[in-house]
Amino acid sequence: MKKAIIIGASSGIGRELARILSTNAYVLGLAARRDDLLQALQNELETKSYIKHIDISRQDEAMNRLTELITEMKGVDLIIITSGTGYINHELDWKKEKETIDVNVSGVTSMINVSLKHFMEKNSGQLVVISSIAALRGGSDCPAYNASKAYIANYLEGIRCKLKKNKLNITVTDIRPGLIDTDMAKGEGLFWVQPPAKVARQIYNAIKRHKKVACVTKRWGIVAFLVKHIPDWIYNKL
C-alpha cells in the first residue's frame, strides 16, 4: 500500500491533498501545529492515518518528530511539504521578516533534509515542496516571502542535480501556486484567486506525472511566464 506524509496538513491545500490521497488508497501521515484540526481531518479520511505535531519554526524538534513519524509508518513513498508563512510588510517589520525566514527557509529546508535522507537510504521516493510563483521575482509588498520562495526553488533545483549526478531514483517536484483562497492570500484587489480543492487536484496530477516544476493552477503558468520576462521598468510599477 502507498504511504505519504503531508507536512502542513491541517488546512488549505495540505488538507485537500490529504483527502485526495486518501481516496486514492494512501496511508497518510498528517503533520502540522494544530492538533485539533489534524484530528478532525483524520476522522474524515477513508484510509489509515497517523498524526504528528510538527512546528517547522522549531527545526531540531521538527526534524526529530518527522523522523519519528517515518519510523512509525515503517517508511513512506511520498512526502509533501506545504507549510509556509508570509506577510504584507511595507514597514519591513523585522519580526515578520524573521518569522518568514525561519519558517519558509530554515523550517522547510529542515524537512527537506530529513525527507531526502530517508529516500536516499532506500533509493526511491518522491519529495514535493510548495514554493510559489513569487519565487520568480522580488516583491515590494513582502520582500522576505518572495526571497524565501526563490531560495526554495533554487535549493530544490540543486538537490535535483545532486540526485541525478549520484544516479538516485528520487523525484523532486517543485509546485509553484499562484494565489489560493487561504489565509496566505493577503492584500486587496487580488485576482485569479483559486479554490484549494482545484489547486490540490492539479498538484496531485503533477505528482502522478513526476513533474520537476509545475505552476498551479494552469492559468498561473501564463502569469509566471509574463512575470519572468516582463521588463524591470514595467515590473517596478506593479
Side-chain angles (χ1 to χ4, degrees), residues 136-196:
L136 297 173
R137 302 287 290 265
S140 61
D141 289 338
C142 39
Y145 179 80
N146 287 50
S148 70
K149 293 301 184 178
Y151 164 86
I152 291 299
N154 279 272
Y155 190 80
L156 293 176
E157 183 176 19
I159 292 297
R160 202 178 294 115
C161 292
K162 179 180 181 63
L163 295 172
K164 187 173 183 179
K165 284 182 180 179
N166 288 282
K167 299 180 180 179
L168 293 171
N169 185 34
I170 301 166
T171 299
V172 174
T173 300
D174 176 2
I175 300 293
R176 299 179 182 177
L179 292 173
I180 308 171
D181 188 13
T182 68
D183 291 341
M184 284 290 291
K186 299 178 175 71
E188 298 179 357
L190 302 179
F191 71 104
W192 278 1
V193 179
Q194 300 294 289

Side-chain angles (χ1 to χ4, degrees), residues 179-220:
L179 292 173
I180 308 171
D181 188 13
T182 68
D183 291 341
M184 284 290 291
K186 299 178 175 71
E188 298 179 357
L190 302 179
F191 71 104
W192 278 1
V193 179
Q194 300 294 289
K198 180 179 180 180
V199 175
R201 287 194 298 271
Q202 293 194 18
I203 291 173
Y204 180 62
N205 288 334
I207 291 171
K208 289 193 297 181
R209 294 167 61 193
H210 291 265
K211 295 277 287 182
K212 293 179 181 178
V213 178
C215 296
V216 292
T217 57
K218 293 179 181 179
R219 65 178 61 184
W220 277 96

Side-chain angles (χ1 to χ4, degrees), residues 39-53:
Q39 185 65 58
L41 174 60
Q42 185 180 50
N43 294 336
E44 297 176 17
L45 301 180
E46 301 175 14
T47 51
K48 184 177 180 179
S49 59
Y50 300 75
I51 287 178
K52 184 67 68 172
H53 178 93

Side-chain angles (χ1 to χ4, degrees), residues 9-53:
S10 61
S11 62
I13 55 177
R15 189 178 187 87
E16 296 298 333
L17 282 167
R19 290 169 173 154
I20 291 171
L21 292 175
S22 181
T23 60
N24 284 275
Y26 275 83
V27 172
L28 292 173
L30 308 173
R33 292 181 296 111
R34 294 173 287 184
D35 297 340
D36 56 334
L37 295 181
L38 291 178
Q39 185 65 58
L41 174 60
Q42 185 180 50
N43 294 336
E44 297 176 17
L45 301 180
E46 301 175 14
T47 51
K48 184 177 180 179
S49 59
Y50 300 75
I51 287 178
K52 184 67 68 172
H53 178 93

Side-chain angles (χ1 to χ4, degrees), residues 52-54 60-70:
K52 184 67 68 172
H53 178 93
I54 292 181
D60 291 341
E61 177 184 291
M63 293 175 78
N64 289 334
R65 294 198 173 200
L66 179 55
T67 301
E68 290 172 1
L69 181 56
I70 292 170

Side-chain angles (χ1 to χ4, degrees), residues 89-102:
N89 193 12
H90 297 297
E91 299 78 17
L92 294 179
D93 182 286
W94 172 240
K95 289 184 179 179
K96 294 178 179 178
E97 298 287 89
K98 184 177 186 302
E99 182 181 346
T100 301
I101 295 165
D102 287 345

